[in-house]
Amino acid sequence: MRRVALLLTVPLLALATACGSAQPAGGDAVGAPTTSAANDSYLKYAKCLREHGVKNFPDDPKQLPAGGTQIPEEAGKACEKEMQGVAKTIDGKDPAYLDRMTRLAKCMRGHGIDFPDPGPDGKMPGPDFNGGDQTKFDAAMKECSAEAGGQ
């Protein structure tokens, strides 16, 4: 079984922060989604994963383990549509998000993973990225996601 969604921590790092912050109803002036929209998208994703065998996947992104979680390939494919909804709730141009992701990338490089900084739109490596060494990547991600503002 191949691992999918290894970087669940990355997009959900921002979502967890968004879900925990207060926003005015309807989002802000630049069209960022409301906390309710972020929660709805994440809840649909979490429900889909549980329906496809990822037992105990939390309804609250803050309850994800600091190093992310393993998603079997079948579940990842089955819930891909819902994950796109989760990803759309993240404002990749938000300076706070870009700062967290830049710190994450710097930390990962400090742990020997050739991890790129986010693009100007906040784009991060996709779910197949592991820097060439899955074990080393997982260990670095666990430390760095906490350091960059995760759990």
Side-chain angles (χ1 to χ4, degrees):
M1 178 182 335
R2 200 172 130 264
R3 285 194 11 172
V4 176
L6 80 128
L7 286 181
L8 236 190
T9 300
V10 174
L12 295 180
L13 184 72
L15 181 61
T17 303
C19 290
S21 66
Q23 273 189 322
D28 64 19
V30 295
T34 63
T35 300
S36 177
N39 285 337
D40 290 347
S41 294
Y42 179 82
L43 287 171
K44 288 177 185 175
Y45 181 64
K47 181 181 177 191
C48 180
L49 288 176
R50 287 192 301 268
E51 288 172 353
H52 289 88
V54 184
K55 299 189 186 312
N56 301 320
F57 194 86
D59 279 339
D60 182 350
K62 293 178 189 173
Q63 294 177 354
L64 283 167
T69 191
Q70 292 183 5
I71 310 264
E73 186 174 6
E74 278 185 31
K77 285 181 180 179
C79 301
E80 186 174 12
K81 181 180 176 187
E82 285 79 7
M83 181 58 187
Q84 289 171 358
V86 171
K88 288 178 184 175
T89 64
I90 298 168
D91 180 3
K93 295 180 181 180
D94 175 47
Y97 170 79
L98 288 171
D99 178 61
R100 282 191 305 276
M101 296 304 103
T102 301
R103 284 184 297 170
L104 175 75
K106 182 179 179 182
C107 180
M108 293 294 283
R109 289 190 299 268
H111 283 83
I113 302 295
D114 186 19
F115 198 96
D117 283 333
D121 61 352
K123 187 169 176 90
M124 296 297 289
D128 292 333
F129 181 84
N130 69 6
D133 182 336
Q134 189 67 55
T135 303
K136 188 176 178 181
F137 180 89
D138 290 345
M141 182 59 77
K142 185 173 183 176
E143 285 188 42
C144 294
S145 62
E147 185 177 311
Q151 294 183 359

